[in-house]
Amino acid sequence: MSLSNARRPPPQPITWIAPAQNALFEAAGTTAHRIASGFGGWLERLGDDVMISYKNEQALREVMDGLENWSAESGWKPVRVFTRFLPIKNDERISPVLHSGDASLPIQTIVTEAGIRYGLDFGTGYSHGLFLDQRGNRSKLRTMRPKRLLNTFAYTCSFSVVAALTGAETLSVDLSRKSLDRGRENFALNDIREANHRFMADDVLELLPKLEQRGERFDAIILDPPTFSRGNEGRLWQVEQHFEDLIKAALEVAMPKCAILLSTNCTKIDTISLERRARACAKIKRRNAQYVRTSPECDFPEGFGASTVWMMLR
């Protein structure tokens, strides 16, 4: 099997974090993390609530039973339990459903990660608003303290919030204005004024050449595109075919020393393939780089979470 077609190791049966780990997360100012991961489904703590994502009814029952036992051991019990079915086809996705708990409570909630506040909304669609598997990369960006961040496919702008809190100017780009509006709300939750921060609803691949022509340059760039989507005028995006185009366009707006996060949830692209693609693009653009992989998070077993590599230009 070629590297480009290599798949991650098959996930194992449901794995639960140690009950004491929940208290360690709380002590670190984090109330959003995985509790359990399995082939048929997983469970996330989201503030006072939990979300169970499942592929079939058997997996749902297994996770529900495990949650009861885990809660008894950890001493932490969720106020509400939401469930989210994981269909094979994306167009069959539906919003999470309240399984148990007080239905009169607001459908929105606030979680923290290393003390940073993020707003979630269980009623806006398939995704609640924060990708938990990027916690380590957000932490790494925070230690980098960039001066100018370009956050592509920004969604609700969590990377932009982190960079802004360290003093960076930020540009958040996403096709969805609603997602960017939620990003603005995350800025407000953390008392960040928008004076040095821009939010642009645009097609990333169309915008990058314009930024290059304007002479805009960045010392940190986030490339975490969807596996499949449609851009302006219905242009098809498929990460397997187009990631290199994205990397090369990003290199044109990268400062001499720039940190570029390459990330994907496509199971056909692992970290080895990501690095290989990045090396090929760097060679074409005559840029030198080192490649750094973040350590796996304790709540994301091998085979779960996005594949990520940091491309450190020098």
Side-chain angles (χ1 to χ4, degrees):
M1 182 182 292
S2 67
L3 289 177
S4 61
N5 292 322
R7 290 183 177 271
R8 305 172 200 172
Q12 300 300 310
I14 296 175
T15 302
W16 295 78
I17 66 170
Q21 184 63 50
N22 190 62
L24 294 176
F25 275 125
E26 284 193 347
T30 295
T31 62
H33 56 81
R34 278 278 180 98
I35 292 178
S37 299
F39 179 73
W42 55 85
L43 186 152
E44 299 171 335
R45 177 186 175 181
L46 303 170
D48 293 330
D49 307 312
V50 298
M51 170 87 77
I52 298 175
S53 302
Y54 66 98
K55 297 180 180 179
N56 52 65
E57 292 298 324
Q58 180 180 350
L60 176 60
R61 288 193 298 269
E62 289 178 358
V63 176
M64 288 293 297
D65 291 342
L67 174 60
E68 185 175 348
N69 295 331
W70 185 88
S71 294
E73 292 184 41
S74 67
W76 182 84
K77 185 177 181 180
V79 172
R80 295 178 295 183
V81 175
F82 290 87
T83 60
R84 180 180 66 167
F85 177 62
L86 302 171
I88 296 176
K89 296 181 180 180
N90 287 345
D91 58 5
E92 296 177 356
R93 292 177 171 180
I94 61 174
S95 297
V97 175
L98 179 64
H99 181 274
S100 62
D102 189 348
S104 69
L105 293 174
I107 204 69
Q108 298 83 20
T109 191
I110 295 173
V111 300
T112 59
E113 182 181 275
I116 301 175
R117 292 158 60 86
Y118 299 101
L120 305 188
D121 192 330
F122 298 115
T124 56
Y126 184 74
S127 298
H128 50 62
L130 185 66
F131 297 128
L132 306 188
D133 57 349
Q134 295 290 356
R135 185 175 66 248
N137 288 318
R138 285 187 286 265
S139 177
K140 185 172 181 64
L141 179 67
R142 195 174 189 178
T143 63
M144 290 177 184
R145 302 184 66 86
K147 295 180 180 178
R148 300 196 78 223
L149 170 76
L150 172 61
N151 187 7
T152 69
F153 307 96
Y155 188 37
T156 59
C157 309
S158 62
F159 281 101
S160 302
V161 169
V162 169
L165 287 170
T166 68
E169 297 180 12
T170 68
L171 171 56
S172 303
V173 184
D174 198 283
L175 270 176
S176 170
R177 292 185 184 276
K178 291 183 178 179
S179 292
L180 293 176
D181 286 342
R182 293 178 68 185
R184 286 188 168 95
E185 292 172 1
N186 282 331
F187 271 63
L189 279 174
N190 292 281
D191 298 320
I192 304 170
R193 299 180 62 185
E194 293 187 20
N196 295 317
H197 309 289
R198 292 175 289 167
F199 303 84
M200 298 184 66
D202 207 338
D203 186 308
V204 171
L205 281 175
E206 291 183 7
L207 178 64
L208 283 170
K210 298 175 184 177
L211 296 176
E212 191 276 329
Q213 292 173 5
R214 296 174 196 164
E216 294 211 38
R217 298 295 182 268
F218 305 87
D219 62 345
I221 301 174
I222 306 299
L223 303 180
D224 183 17
T227 300
F228 174 90
S229 69
R230 291 193 178 276
N232 286 339
E233 300 180 355
R235 180 178 56 79
L236 180 65
W237 161 270
Q238 288 181 307
V239 71
E240 290 180 73
Q241 298 180 19
H242 302 128
F243 210 149
E244 286 92 336
D245 296 335
L246 178 62
I247 296 171
K248 287 184 285 189
L251 286 171
E252 295 293 344
V253 296
M255 290 181 182
K257 291 185 178 182
C258 178
I260 304 177
L261 174 63
L262 312 176
S263 181
T264 179
N265 281 299
C266 178
T267 57
K268 296 181 180 180
I269 303 178
D270 61 7
T271 53
I272 296 175
S273 178
L274 269 181
E275 182 174 329
R276 189 187 68 177
R277 292 168 186 242
R279 287 182 181 276
C281 294
K283 184 176 181 180
I284 292 172
K285 294 297 182 179
R286 298 183 179 182
R287 303 293 294 268
N288 294 320
Q290 291 181 321
Y291 300 88
V292 178
R293 302 176 192 177
T294 55
S295 300
E297 297 295 318
C298 66
D299 53 332
F300 279 87
E302 186 176 2
F304 293 92
S307 294
T308 63
V309 173
W310 283 92
M311 184 180 188
M312 312 295 288
L313 300 180
R314 53 186 182 179

